[in-house]
Amino acid sequence: MGANYSSTLHEANNMPTTVPQIKRSQVIAFHSTTKWKLHFDSLKDTNKLVVIDFTATWCGPCKYMEPVINDFAAKYTDVEFVKIDVDELAKVAEEYGVQAMPTFVLIKKGKVVDKVVGADKDGLKKKIEKHRAMFI
């Protein structure tokens, strides 16, 4: 009954019945090396900071960092957040020298500008804030 009343009230006042959605950045997961390379190549000519989260489904610290990364993606909408499972895309992880999870690689204009190894929320936040503000 409350839902019908609420809907009727909004219609009577010419108010939209849906709440506008806030645009949120999201974490993009890649499961194909080819798709990752195409995406990576498309970002090489931009000044946008890209944070790659190298993760694994069996990794406890990675699971701890997942909501942190989602929060960062919502907060830093000018930064691109990418998630790569090291077991699915082992060659990509190897290219970036990933030896422990989680590893966060920060890239700008196609070049690695920084790296965080481990579930270091504060360290990652500081590096994101440092590099998103820098112009190369």
Side-chain angles (χ1 to χ4, degrees):
M1 180 172 167
N4 290 340
Y5 176 76
S6 176
S7 175
T8 305
L9 179 64
H10 287 297
E11 289 171 12
N13 292 320
N14 292 327
M15 295 173 63
T17 55
T18 58
V19 177
Q21 296 294 314
I22 297 170
K23 186 180 177 193
R24 290 178 53 129
S25 177
Q26 57 187 353
V27 180
I28 304 167
F30 284 92
H31 306 283
S32 154
T33 302
T34 304
K35 287 182 180 177
W36 158 246
K37 287 187 185 287
L38 286 170
H39 188 75
F40 177 77
D41 288 344
S42 74
L43 294 170
K44 279 184 179 178
D45 294 329
T46 71
N47 203 35
K48 190 172 200 175
L49 177 64
V50 180
V51 178
I52 307 172
D53 174 8
F54 286 98
T55 186
T57 56
W58 46 263
C59 168
C62 299
K63 290 177 185 172
Y64 164 79
M65 288 298 289
E66 188 169 353
V68 172
I69 296 302
N70 290 335
D71 289 346
F72 285 171
K75 180 178 180 178
Y76 304 114
T77 56
D78 58 325
V79 177
E80 178 122 350
F81 289 85
V82 172
K83 181 177 177 178
I84 293 181
D85 186 308
V86 297
D87 293 324
E88 287 182 3
L89 302 183
K91 288 185 179 182
V92 177
E94 193 177 304
E95 281 178 38
Y96 289 96
V98 175
Q99 296 181 344
M101 274 68 67
T103 293
F104 303 94
V105 177
L106 287 74
I107 296 174
K108 222 169 191 185
K109 291 197 172 188
K111 293 184 169 62
V112 174
V113 293
D114 224 326
K115 188 185 269 193
V116 176
V117 178
D120 183 0
K121 175 184 174 180
D122 294 332
L124 180 58
K125 181 180 178 183
K126 285 177 187 169
K127 290 186 179 193
I128 289 170
E129 289 178 352
K130 172 186 173 186
H131 292 290
R132 72 187 274 260
M134 291 176 57
F135 292 98
I136 297 174

